[in-house]
Amino acid sequence: MHALRELQRGFARAILEGGAAGFAPAERVQVYRNNVFVNFTQALADVYPAIARLVGEDFFGQVARRYVRAHGSNSGDLHDFGRKFPALLRSLAESRELPYLGDVAELEWAWHEVFHAADAPALDTARLARVPEGAHERLRFRLNPALRLVASRYPILAIWEANRGDAPAEATIRLDAGGDCVRVLRPDLDSFAERLGAGEFALLAAFGSGAALGEACEAAAAAESGLDFGAAMARFVLDRSIVDFTLD
């Protein structure tokens, strides 16, 4: 078993790092190496189509090869591959002229995760109504597993929407238009992404970090004074952003 493991590891190194690693001739390994890089690059392009469009096919292919070498898949599920791609984009000197690139990639990964996330039933409002009013501040709400939050100091939602699918390439976006707080959600079959106000975003982010209702409301008020908490909570229950709760 040990010998087989070493053989497999040697073969993987030969594929990702080059060389024959004891396999002769080297051309036999090259066939597998090309297929591996092509397949992984296509997997990244499927998850990050806006990034591929923003940087162009050649540059995307180069970065994809770097990513495959640095972060080869450790899972039998290819849907897990690509999680660290936004971090790689942020680290590249070549992408400094596109400082929003990593944040757009994070939004694309959020869209990908939401698409494959588990379904969740709607919150049981009758059960919630039975919680004594004096205990409301101690409620801890659970977010929909098919929900992600992405914040950026750039207008990433507009950039992403302008570079998806058949969107016109001539769209003009002002980078100084302000940042985005984006919620990506799949309440049923279809996913959507929308810009949230700072207060609503902070409220959901606090729930996501495990904060109780009282703490979450404080965080939201600090982000946006005058937020209508009742309206925000009603909205998040109805659209299934919030799907469950516990009481300390």
Side-chain angles (χ1 to χ4, degrees), residues 50-57 59-60 63 85-106 152-156 159 163 173 175:
I51 297 298
R53 187 172 182 179
L54 281 164
V55 302
E57 182 178 350
F59 183 72
F60 188 87
V63 177
F85 197 61
L88 176 64
L89 291 173
R90 292 185 178 107
S91 71
L92 295 178
E94 301 96 312
S95 63
R96 287 175 183 168
E97 294 184 1
L98 302 174
Y100 51 82
L101 209 57
D103 292 354
V104 175
E106 188 177 344
S152 173
R153 56 195 181 99
Y154 300 103
I156 56 172
I159 296 171
N163 288 279
I173 299 169
L175 294 184

Side-chain angles (χ1 to χ4, degrees), residues 47-91:
V47 176
Y48 298 101
I51 297 298
R53 187 172 182 179
L54 281 164
V55 302
E57 182 178 350
D58 290 343
F59 183 72
F60 188 87
Q62 295 173 20
V63 177
R65 291 180 76 87
R66 293 192 204 180
Y67 184 82
V68 173
R69 287 193 175 98
H71 306 287
S73 177
N74 294 318
S75 170
D77 186 353
L78 198 57
H79 294 318
D80 295 335
F81 183 65
R83 182 181 305 277
K84 299 179 180 179
F85 197 61
L88 176 64
L89 291 173
R90 292 185 178 107
S91 71

Side-chain angles (χ1 to χ4, degrees), residues 106-187:
E106 188 177 344
L107 178 56
E108 291 211 277
W109 182 255
W111 183 267
H112 171 76
E113 283 196 314
V114 162
F115 181 82
H116 294 286
D119 295 327
L123 184 141
D124 185 346
T125 54
R127 174 171 160 253
L128 179 62
R130 292 194 293 271
V131 175
E133 184 175 349
H136 285 180
E137 287 193 355
R138 295 186 284 114
L139 287 167
R140 296 183 188 273
F141 289 96
R142 184 171 71 86
L143 300 182
N144 195 321
L147 181 148
R148 296 294 184 277
L149 300 168
V150 183
S152 173
R153 56 195 181 99
Y154 300 103
I156 56 172
L157 184 59
I159 296 171
W160 177 65
E161 289 176 339
N163 288 279
R164 296 182 67 219
D166 298 327
E170 64 273 10
T172 300
I173 299 169
R174 292 177 56 90
L175 294 184
D176 60 357
D180 279 343
C181 295
V182 182
R183 172 180 66 159
V184 183
L185 177 65
R186 181 176 55 77

